[in-house]
Amino acid sequence: MNLLEEIDHHPLCGDGAMGTLLMARGIPAGRCIEELCVSQPEIVLGIHHDYLAAGARVIRTNSFGANALRLARHGLAGRVNEINWQAAQIAKQAAKDTGAYVAGSVGPLGLSAPDGDREEYFRTQIGALLDGGVNLIFLETFQNVDELLLALRVKQSLHHCPAICSLATNEDGNLPDGTSLDTAFAELAQNDADLLGLNCINGPEAALTVIGRVIRPEPPLAVFPNAGTAHNISPTKFAKTSLQMIAAGAKILGGCCGTTPAHIAALAALLAEAD
């Protein structure tokens, strides 16, 4: 059974934050956290293990900003293939024999990226994650539909595995350019997105409100809110609110910035009770 088949039967629990948890465990702000996959893989592996032990069935690679444009800020533009391949390998090692799915995390380039290079940036990163053996690609925290569509088309040209197309909106459900989540989801569905997503929104209550208003097209939803502006939403509250998203079409539930293995353990426990 693959991921798309399994979520037809019951929702799956995703993992929580990587970057904020690494900082909580001593990695200094400003450090290239994706490079840790090469220099300190045991730290990344430990976080994957913690989320899996908490009950996560979908874990994301530590590769969110591992494209040439972002890595260049740290003098690492020539190591895109190495870092992404290693990120996939670490997550695969953690997930071995657990039945969990490994999602290759790909973040946006941002509006400063040269237009002519965008496709190649995505192609190199996604290709390396696929070579590393991920089960799906998680295009996350995008705030521009055209950029997300470009990343989706690149993924589709490389492999048939599923892609989650996830946007980060404000609490009104709009992107910075005013595009509504309704409009964005409709366009992504028309371009054969396998799953639609909402992540990094300010807490599960905001996420629940936004997806409750969406006239949702057919693809299932993945929802990964953060733990609130001050990152202080308790695991119990996070889990109880997140569980309500199932009625709005959520098939994969997890957490973004500020969430921890404790948040995911609480969520996984409630999902198991509801199954």
Side-chain angles (χ1 to χ4, degrees), residues 215-256:
I215 303 170
R216 191 174 56 82
E218 185 177 340
L221 294 178
V223 188
F224 285 65
N226 65 30
T229 303
H231 307 315
N232 59 0
I233 296 177
S234 73
T236 300
K237 182 177 180 181
F238 182 90
K240 287 182 177 179
T241 307
S242 294
L243 196 69
Q244 297 175 55
M245 299 177 200
I246 294 173
K251 292 292 188 177
I252 304 176
L253 293 166
C256 205

Side-chain angles (χ1 to χ4, degrees), residues 13-18 21-22 24-25 42-59 90-91 93-95 98 259-266 268:
C13 186
D15 62 1
M18 174 64 72
L21 192 57
L22 282 167
R25 295 185 178 184
E42 68 283 352
I43 295 177
V44 179
L45 181 64
I47 287 177
H48 288 321
H49 277 311
D50 288 347
Y51 280 127
L52 289 164
R57 292 289 316 287
V58 179
I59 60 170
I90 293 169
Q93 179 184 345
T98 67
T259 55
T260 67
H263 290 85
I264 299 309

Side-chain angles (χ1 to χ4, degrees), residues 28 49 67 78 87 96 119 147 160 164 166 187 220 233 236 238 258 263 266:
H49 277 311
N67 58 71
K96 185 178 179 181
E119 183 173 341
E147 185 180 32
H160 63 274
I164 299 174
S166 187
E187 192 165 358
I233 296 177
T236 300
F238 182 90
H263 290 85

Side-chain angles (χ1 to χ4, degrees), residues 185-200:
F185 275 180
E187 192 165 358
L188 289 162
Q190 289 168 7
N191 283 270
D192 300 320
D194 301 286
L195 295 101
L196 304 174
L198 177 67
N199 78 287
C200 213

Side-chain angles (χ1 to χ4, degrees), residues 110-133:
L111 298 179
S112 63
D115 287 343
D117 298 332
R118 288 174 178 271
E119 183 173 341
E120 187 56 33
Y121 287 143
F122 284 129
R123 186 173 302 278
T124 304
Q125 182 182 11
I126 294 171
L129 289 167
L130 292 168
D131 287 345

Side-chain angles (χ1 to χ4, degrees), residues 4-126:
L4 293 178
E5 291 171 338
E6 187 166 356
I7 62 175
D8 274 343
H9 293 86
H10 55 83
L12 292 179
C13 186
D15 62 1
M18 174 64 72
T20 53
L21 192 57
L22 282 167
M23 287 187 282
R25 295 185 178 184
I27 300 301
R31 176 77 156 80
C32 179
I33 63 169
E34 292 84 4
E35 191 275 337
L36 295 170
C37 292
V38 176
S39 63
Q40 300 182 62
E42 68 283 352
I43 295 177
V44 179
L45 181 64
I47 287 177
H48 288 321
H49 277 311
D50 288 347
Y51 280 127
L52 289 164
R57 292 289 316 287
V58 179
I59 60 170
R60 292 165 291 175
T61 56
N62 178 34
S63 57
F64 175 79
N67 58 71
L69 184 68
R70 292 191 176 216
L71 290 177
R73 302 169 188 171
H74 303 277
L76 300 169
R79 298 177 65 183
V80 175
N81 284 300
E82 175 191 11
I83 290 172
N84 283 280
W85 186 87
Q86 181 68 1
Q89 288 287 298
I90 293 169
K92 276 188 64 180
Q93 179 184 345
K96 185 178 179 181
D97 300 325
T98 67
Y101 301 95
V102 173
S105 173
V106 176
L109 302 170
L111 298 179
S112 63
D115 287 343
D117 298 332
R118 288 174 178 271
E119 183 173 341
E120 187 56 33
Y121 287 143
F122 284 129
R123 186 173 302 278
T124 304
Q125 182 182 11
I126 294 171

